[in-house]
Amino acid sequence: MNRNRKKLLALSLSATLGAVPLLLHAQEPAQQRTLGSVERSHASQARALLDQAVLTFQAKGPEQALAAFNDRNGEFVHGQYYIFVLGEDGTMQASSGPSASLVGLNVAELKDAAGKSFMREILDKSAKQDSGEVEYQWLNPADNKVENKISQFRKIGDHVLCVGYYIPRATAEHAKALLDRAVQQVKDKGAEAAFRNFNDPRGGFVFNDEYVFVIGLDDGRYRASGSSPNLVGVDVRNVNDAAGKPLFKEMIELARKQGSGSVDYVWRNPATNAVEQKHTLIQRVDDVLLGVGYYTRP
């Protein structure tokens, strides 16, 4: 294989896997099509609702638009996605979600679960730019847990239209449970049947930013990759993380010597598209290793 072809293969592989050198930003359209890009799906749905709200606001004017945004059974409520509107002074002007109780109140100094003045950040950013987003921690009514949330905003005159969405995150406990279940699947169903399930987004082994992958110990090739099944057959032994660490070589060595363990590295989270610390738990089964990772903020 010549040098140019090797370079192209490395770039394609790194982009699909989620590595984040700046030169890979040109691979963005391909990344958007990967099965692991959960956050992109949430973000696109939020953006679509925000676009719809902007068009309504521009076509019908503030009075009719705000009335529509305040209708909790109306067209601007799509599951977890809903419109809320802030005035430049921080007054909540409309909401078709749980924050409807705040309509009419000044929420400029409202803080999230970590004490962050996220509404102030939205207002400050919208004073300088017409669109953007702010991340914070908020109670998700679907599971009654505090989770990371991103609100996109669009400035229209003296109104700031917003739509938020929750960012799913796995935990160490979730990763361990999924890995144990995957190992048992290989033992019960056989390797080939198990690998098919791991590669199937509906096979029960892909959950938001959490998925099972399998790598051969002898050839370093993917047998399964729940976030990117197109990687099956690719040798990843020479792939490094965003900091240059040969993470897959380390996983293979660990599996051979100890049979199980964990490897820490820096990787792009497909559920947030941000560079984060990743911790992968591995378990050897015959001549392959099974892995499941979870992310934490650096």
Side-chain angles (χ1 to χ4, degrees), residues 59-136:
K60 297 185 176 181
E63 184 175 350
Q64 290 188 51
L66 292 176
F69 301 157
N70 275 318
D71 184 355
R72 300 191 68 174
N73 297 309
E75 61 180 316
F76 292 98
V77 182
H78 297 172
Q80 68 162 290
Y81 312 99
Y82 60 88
I83 296 290
F84 66 92
V85 183
L86 302 175
E88 287 184 320
D89 63 351
T91 300
M92 181 76 77
Q93 298 181 334
S95 174
S96 48
S99 55
S101 60
L102 300 176
V103 172
L105 302 179
N106 191 301
V107 296
E109 304 308 323
L110 184 65
K111 293 179 171 57
D112 73 352
K116 175 181 179 179
S117 298
F118 68 102
M119 289 293 191
R120 170 57 59 193
E121 186 173 341
I122 292 175
L123 293 169
D124 289 347
K125 282 191 172 183
S126 65
K128 300 175 182 178
Q129 57 198 62
D130 291 335
S131 63
E133 62 182 36
V134 169
E135 183 173 347
Y136 52 99

Side-chain angles (χ1 to χ4, degrees), residues 3 8-9 11 31 33 39 42 44 52 68 75 86 96 107 141 143 166 189 211 215-216 222 229 267 270 282 287 294:
R3 181 176 299 176
L8 289 173
L9 176 59
L11 289 175
Q31 291 178 11
R33 293 191 293 271
E39 188 272 344
H42 290 309
S44 64
Q52 180 186 352
E75 61 180 316
L86 302 175
S96 48
V107 296
D143 57 16
Y166 290 94
K189 303 293 185 180
Y211 56 90
I215 296 174
Y222 268 118
W267 207 245
I282 63 140
D287 61 347
Y294 62 97

Side-chain angles (χ1 to χ4, degrees), residues 13 17 215 219-222 234-239 248-249:
L13 175 60
L17 285 170
I215 296 174
D219 60 9
R221 296 183 183 278
Y222 268 118
V234 173
D235 184 345
V236 293
R237 286 173 292 185
N238 291 322
V239 174
F248 293 109
K249 283 184 178 179

Side-chain angles (χ1 to χ4, degrees), residues 38-259:
V38 178
E39 188 272 344
R40 294 182 185 282
S41 174
H42 290 309
S44 64
Q45 292 183 66
R47 189 176 302 112
L49 184 60
L50 187 55
D51 288 344
Q52 180 186 352
V54 169
L55 290 174
T56 297
F57 195 94
Q58 293 172 332
K60 297 185 176 181
E63 184 175 350
Q64 290 188 51
L66 292 176
F69 301 157
N70 275 318
D71 184 355
R72 300 191 68 174
N73 297 309
E75 61 180 316
F76 292 98
V77 182
H78 297 172
Q80 68 162 290
Y81 312 99
Y82 60 88
I83 296 290
F84 66 92
V85 183
L86 302 175
E88 287 184 320
D89 63 351
T91 300
M92 181 76 77
Q93 298 181 334
S95 174
S96 48
S99 55
S101 60
L102 300 176
V103 172
L105 302 179
N106 191 301
V107 296
E109 304 308 323
L110 184 65
K111 293 179 171 57
D112 73 352
K116 175 181 179 179
S117 298
F118 68 102
M119 289 293 191
R120 170 57 59 193
E121 186 173 341
I122 292 175
L123 293 169
D124 289 347
K125 282 191 172 183
S126 65
K128 300 175 182 178
Q129 57 198 62
D130 291 335
S131 63
E133 62 182 36
V134 169
E135 183 173 347
Y136 52 99
Q137 296 180 32
W138 204 245
L139 183 70
N140 187 340
D143 57 16
N144 202 37
K145 294 180 180 179
V146 174
E147 299 177 359
N148 290 311
K149 190 173 186 178
I150 288 179
S151 279
Q152 301 175 354
F153 68 82
R154 202 81 55 80
K155 181 79 174 292
I156 306 294
D158 56 357
H159 304 271
V160 185
L161 281 60
C162 310
V163 178
Y165 59 93
Y166 290 94
I167 305 171
R169 284 187 181 276
T171 64
E173 292 76 16
H174 293 152
K176 180 64 165 59
L178 183 58
L179 180 58
D180 289 346
R181 193 158 65 83
V183 169
Q184 194 61 48
Q185 178 88 172
V186 173
K187 294 178 180 178
D188 292 345
K189 303 293 185 180
E192 294 305 317
F195 298 168
R196 283 195 297 272
N197 281 339
F198 300 160
N199 281 319
D200 184 351
R202 296 175 297 276
F205 291 90
V206 179
F207 301 98
N208 298 319
D209 64 344
E210 187 180 55
Y211 56 90
V212 176
F213 65 87
V214 183
I215 296 174
L217 297 180
D218 295 328
D219 60 9
R221 296 183 183 278
Y222 268 118
R223 304 294 193 274
S225 178
S227 68
S228 303
N230 56 302
L231 293 177
V232 171
V234 173
D235 184 345
V236 293
R237 286 173 292 185
N238 291 322
V239 174
N240 298 331
D241 76 352
K245 178 178 181 177
L247 65 156
F248 293 109
K249 283 184 178 179
E250 186 172 328
M251 290 181 195
I252 291 172
E253 183 177 355
L254 181 64
R256 283 175 171 163
K257 290 183 176 180
Q258 299 183 21

Side-chain angles (χ1 to χ4, degrees), residues 23-34:
L23 56 85
L24 293 182
H25 285 189
Q27 299 289 328
E28 195 70 15
Q31 291 178 11
Q32 292 180 358
R33 293 191 293 271
T34 62

